[in-house]
Amino acid sequence: MKRGLVIGKFMPLHHGHIALINFAAGRCDELIVSMSYTDHDAIDPDLRLDWIKSVFTDPKIKIAKIKDDFDNESLALEERTALWAPVMKRTYPPIAVVFSSEPYGEPFARHLQAEHIAFDPDRTIVPVSATKIRNHPFQYWDRIPVVVRPYFVKKICFYGAESTGKSTLAIRMAEHYHTEFVPEVARELLITNDFTVEDIITIGNAHAQRIEEKLKTANKLLFCDTDAITTQIYSKYYLNAVPEVLYALEANVKYDLYFLMDIDVPWIEDGLRDLGHKRQEMTSIFKEALEQRNIPYITVSGDFQQREATVRRAIDRLLKD
């Protein structure tokens, strides 16, 4: 059996890695893809491993994770790869060929007593690197696999008291930036403000689930109408209680940008809203909740055109950065 080896951090997996692994798999009977990790990686190792496994389902491709506690980056490649080889020999079955696009490939293969086959060392087939993607993901969006893209999607929250244009802006911005939005799920589940703790938990979970679903198809940005903090605020106001699960949901979903909506627009009755007389009080509560958490925000005020302009300027800066 001719067994090959591809090593890497895959932080993140990108189309260059995929091309390398497919190239290698076509030239051996079994291919080991060895993903190295440390306790301080910028991207969670288990998440990276899941990305690789979801892309490569061919049983001849064996995907493994190995803790990188044997490297010494201060050494030259000849000495560094001499440290890698014995660990690989102890960890994996005999390797006949090493496939790589990197300068380490040749000395590493030699220390393994294996053949080395280079793939696209000049990066002409897929001109990208994991470092470039981590630093500027939107510039290399087309070279990021679909399964990896949700990790880099920026989540934008429209936040604040009722009847301030959050829903309209979420829809409008999704249309403008050709992406997805998450509606205020509570409005799909409630017909009155007479609800229970169980109802509020259902709303919180449903909103979080909708975010996960929309992240899979979002194009760089995901616009969200409200968040878990909002659910907590209304739970406290109407029920005088906040289920612990709402705090867990808040911790699980972090937003990259908050827009706090001002109340300098008319309040509109819609059958569910009933806090028109407490708009200033509720706005203060919403604002205080962000400031207690040290969450930065941009205040959005003025008529609808002014609000949209404020949001678009901030989003354009985010995309450029």
Side-chain angles (χ1 to χ4, degrees):
M1 172 185 285
K2 184 177 182 180
R3 182 178 293 108
L5 175 66
V6 170
I7 67 171
K9 297 177 182 177
F10 308 104
M11 194 159 62
L13 179 73
H14 57 67
H15 285 310
H17 295 136
I18 293 173
L20 166 63
I21 292 169
N22 284 331
F23 173 86
R27 286 160 176 79
C28 54
D29 302 305
E30 180 180 282
L31 178 68
I32 296 173
V33 177
S34 176
M35 190 201 82
S36 62
Y37 73 97
T38 73
D39 294 330
H40 309 290
D41 287 345
I43 302 177
D44 179 74
D46 290 332
L47 178 60
R48 283 147 50 202
L49 195 70
D50 287 343
W51 289 338
I52 302 170
K53 288 180 176 180
S54 69
V55 172
F56 297 101
T57 58
D58 186 338
K60 74 182 287 186
I61 301 176
K62 312 296 183 182
I63 301 163
K65 182 175 70 170
I66 183 170
K67 187 167 186 177
D68 184 2
D69 55 5
F70 50 85
D71 193 13
N72 185 343
E73 294 184 359
S74 68
L75 299 177
L77 279 181
E78 185 69 29
E79 289 75 24
R80 282 183 71 189
T81 53
L83 297 176
W84 305 353
V87 177
M88 296 298 175
K89 286 181 178 180
R90 291 194 301 269
T91 304
Y92 301 125
I95 302 298
V97 55
V98 171
F99 298 89
S100 81
S101 303
E102 304 288 348
Y104 65 68
E106 189 280 326
F108 178 46
R110 181 160 27 84
H111 290 304
L112 275 177
Q113 290 85 49
E115 177 188 3
H116 176 245
I117 298 179
F119 172 76
D120 191 28
D122 296 325
R123 303 286 175 90
T124 57
I125 297 175
V126 185
V128 73
S129 71
T131 301
K132 289 179 178 179
I133 288 175
R134 289 197 306 275
N135 292 337
H136 303 286
F138 295 161
Q139 292 184 23
Y140 302 98
W141 196 250
D142 292 341
R143 291 159 194 169
I144 303 175
V146 171
V147 69
V148 178
R149 288 179 183 175
Y151 178 84
F152 292 103
V153 169
K154 298 296 185 184
K155 295 183 285 296
I156 316 300
C157 182
F158 294 107
Y159 173 90
E162 61 186 24
S163 191
T164 51
K166 299 186 297 295
S167 300
T168 301
L169 276 170
I171 295 169
R172 286 278 294 159
M173 291 301 99
E175 291 174 348
H176 179 75
Y177 291 100
H178 308 290
T179 188
E180 302 280 5
F181 76 95
V182 176
E184 186 180 4
V185 177
R187 290 187 164 273
E188 301 175 1
L189 301 177
L190 298 178
I191 57 174
T192 74
N193 285 322
D194 182 18
F195 51 83
T196 66
V197 169
E198 288 72 24
D199 292 330
I200 209 77
I201 291 173
T202 298
I203 289 167
N205 284 322
H207 191 77
Q209 182 178 358
R210 192 72 60 85
I211 290 171
E212 288 301 310
E213 292 170 356
K214 292 294 186 177
L215 279 171
K216 295 175 183 177
T217 52
N219 175 30
K220 303 179 184 177
L221 305 166
L222 179 63
F223 295 98
C224 301
D225 180 354
T226 75
D227 67 339
I229 301 174
T230 300
T231 310
Q232 295 167 22
I233 289 172
Y234 284 124
S235 181
K236 177 67 173 177
Y237 183 84
Y238 288 105
L239 302 174
N240 199 32
V242 180
E244 285 298 319
V245 66
L246 296 186
Y247 295 111
L249 292 171
E250 176 192 346
N252 288 338
V253 180
K254 297 300 182 183
Y255 294 86
D256 298 277
L257 185 58
Y258 268 86
F259 290 107
L260 174 62
M261 312 304 288
D262 202 350
I263 56 173
D264 56 340
V265 289
W267 183 82
I268 299 173
E269 164 71 43
D270 71 349
L272 191 60
R273 297 168 180 157
D274 61 1
L275 296 174
H277 61 299
K278 291 194 173 184
R279 300 180 84 196
Q280 188 61 61
E281 176 186 343
M282 295 306 295
T283 296
S284 297
I285 292 172
F286 276 98
K287 181 178 179 181
E288 183 180 358
L290 292 182
E291 293 176 347
Q292 285 177 342
R293 293 166 170 80
N294 294 316
I295 296 175
Y297 59 87
I298 296 173
T299 300
V300 180
S301 57
D303 62 26
F304 187 78
Q305 287 184 334
Q306 292 171 320
R307 288 168 182 252
E308 184 170 333
T310 297
V311 170
R312 286 174 60 173
R313 282 194 299 270
I315 297 300
D316 289 343
R317 286 196 300 269
L318 181 67
L319 288 171
K320 184 177 181 180
D321 293 341

